Amino acid sequence: MLGTFAKAFRTPDLRRKLLFTIGIIVVYRLGCFIPCPGVNYGAIKAITDNASDDGTAGVLSLINLFSGGALLTLSVFALGIMPYITASIIIQLLRVVIPRFEALHKEGQAGTSKLTQYTRYLTIALAILQSTVVITSAKSGQLFSGSATSDQTDALFYNGGGPMTVFLMIVTMTAGTGMIMWLGELITERGVGNGMSLLIFASIVSGFPGSMSQVLGSNNGTRNFVVVLLVFVGVIGAIVFVEQCQRRIPVQYAKRMVGRRTYGGSSTYIPIKINIAGVIPVIFASSLLSLPYMVVQFAQNSTNPVVLWIAGNLRQQDLVYMVLYGLLIIFFCFFYTSITFNPEEVADNMKRYGGFIPGIRAGRPTAEYLQYVISRITTSGSLYLAIVALIPQVMFSAMGVYNNLPFGGTTLLIIVGVGLDTVKQIESQLQQRHYEGFLR
């Protein structure tokens, strides 16, 4: 691995791309520490130093995680990449509901560019909405899990946080989200890897040193540190193994005579990953389960039995939460796979170009066979996702160190997926530049 990176930096063109990518990540991380106009950073520091748990509540914890802790400091990049992720998911789901979106998806590069434009517009709209929620939560103290006193929340903003200050903060956070989109696209175009994924990767990894030092300084710190490290390495190894696995369905193309030339007659395969949906089901499930708990945070003094049940059973370390979390992951795995992989469309394309699966008739029998294979693989993939998402959560909750950790199943899946994809892109570019061919 070290030799591969050494070769990459010895290649001038690839070295420029790697240094450009690192530079953009540095700019992104610097923006996470610049507070918005009108924010009293000293007051925020005083609150976060005494904050309980992980410092956030409900769905805001996911935003704080993907922003690299920038949410708690109310920085320029406080929203992180979360609005873009949400917008991308919504646009993909709307392909099922809106025929126009599905038609654009099938048009190729021009249609994809149009969908990307819609995603950008929706990202800005969601950024305005989320920044309003974040600022409201900060003024009420709920952003800091209720650990802030009324005097501290009053000191959060200069001039008492009037309408003009709030408006300026909303504009700044929204502009920060737009800049993050631009930085991510710059990495994709001129750097190495997927820009948005690398920014999420940098945000998650940035919280590791501080959180691991907290584990080491807690009760039974050395034992907890060793156990956490072993679980971390073991889960990463399992994720790498499963993410690299494929079910290869053989496909044979019949020979065709066009004039005096013969075309086709080749053999290939359809690679189907065990985890087709990726990390999307985990993000869906965690976001959905966080919403009721976030609503309850604004009704802490209520005596309604439903509110009391949610407050006592839908915390991340509760058994009810973990069971619902696993079931929702399995459901969204099947749901998202049915959207992204259409057996009938694949079967029609194979039939159009003279392809067939050995032993299976072309057309509807091929579609039914593909549906049968996808159902079996998705069952295994959904159980794998649920186990990976729950094992760290169960173990760390039992050890009492869960709230000090920035990672769980979601973050580990993201880290491994982004890491594998980036390494593959570096290796492919190295092969393009160091391929000698058969002739000297």
Side-chain angles (χ1 to χ4, degrees), residues 378-391:
T378 305
T379 301
S380 303
S382 62
L383 292 176
Y384 147 75
L385 272 183
I387 292 172
V388 168
L390 288 174
I391 280 182

Side-chain angles (χ1 to χ4, degrees), residues 98-386:
I98 303 177
R100 170 62 178 165
F101 283 13
E102 183 64 25
L104 286 173
H105 177 70
K106 294 179 180 180
E107 286 181 4
Q109 184 63 35
T112 304
S113 300
K114 198 68 176 177
L115 289 176
T116 302
Q117 188 177 4
Y118 292 154
T119 304
R120 292 170 183 164
Y121 293 153
L122 185 58
T123 299
I124 297 301
L126 290 174
I128 295 173
L129 178 62
Q130 289 187 9
S131 59
T132 305
V133 172
V134 166
I135 295 170
T136 304
S137 301
K139 294 184 72 172
S140 64
Q142 299 301 324
L143 179 64
F144 310 99
S145 294
S147 58
T149 63
S150 58
D151 293 337
Q152 288 176 324
T153 54
D154 291 340
L156 277 177
F157 308 106
Y158 295 111
N159 301 324
M164 195 62 194
T165 302
V166 172
F167 174 76
L168 187 60
M169 289 180 64
I170 292 174
V171 172
T172 303
M173 289 185 181
T174 305
T177 301
M179 185 174 180
I180 292 173
M181 276 197 301
W182 178 62
L183 293 176
E185 291 175 359
L186 281 179
I187 293 177
T188 304
E189 293 175 4
R190 301 174 56 185
V192 178
N194 183 283
M196 301 300 179
S197 301
L198 282 174
L199 294 182
I200 297 174
F201 179 89
S203 299
I204 294 172
V205 172
S206 66
F208 277 19
S211 296
M212 294 302 288
S213 64
Q214 290 180 13
V215 174
L216 193 59
S218 61
N219 295 331
N220 300 319
T222 304
R223 184 204 66 183
N224 291 340
F225 183 84
V226 173
V227 172
V228 168
L229 200 59
L230 291 176
V231 172
F232 182 73
V233 173
V235 173
I236 283 182
I239 293 174
V240 171
F241 177 77
V242 176
E243 292 294 328
Q244 297 290 84
C245 293
Q246 291 179 348
R247 167 68 188 276
R248 296 180 175 181
I249 300 177
V251 179
Q252 182 72 35
Y253 285 92
K255 293 182 179 180
R256 295 179 296 130
M257 292 293 296
V258 180
R260 294 184 179 182
R261 295 181 179 271
T262 303
Y263 295 93
S266 60
S267 298
T268 183
Y269 59 86
I270 302 175
I272 300 178
K273 294 178 61 177
I274 292 180
N275 179 24
I276 299 176
V279 74
I280 297 298
V282 183
I283 296 176
F284 272 24
S286 57
S287 300
L288 189 62
L289 281 178
S290 297
L291 289 175
Y293 192 73
M294 184 183 70
V295 173
V296 167
Q297 294 297 309
F298 294 94
Q300 291 182 344
N301 298 325
S302 175
T303 58
N304 189 298
V306 176
V307 173
L308 295 176
W309 185 89
I310 292 175
N313 294 278
L314 285 187
R315 295 171 298 180
Q316 292 183 339
Q317 63 268 29
D318 292 329
L319 179 61
V320 175
Y321 178 93
M322 294 180 186
V323 172
L324 292 176
Y325 189 38
L327 293 176
L328 283 174
I329 288 174
I330 294 173
F331 168 76
F332 282 122
C333 221
F334 279 92
F335 176 75
Y336 192 77
T337 301
S338 66
I339 294 175
T340 56
F341 189 91
N342 189 344
E344 294 184 358
E345 182 179 349
V346 175
D348 290 340
N349 291 333
M350 289 171 54
K351 185 178 180 180
R352 186 178 301 114
Y353 294 103
F356 62 93
I357 300 174
I360 307 294
R361 291 175 60 88
R364 178 170 292 277
T366 299
E368 292 176 352
Y369 175 76
L370 289 175
Q371 183 63 54
Y372 169 73
V373 173
I374 288 295
S375 299
R376 295 182 63 186
I377 291 178
T378 305
T379 301
S380 303
S382 62
L383 292 176
Y384 147 75
L385 272 183

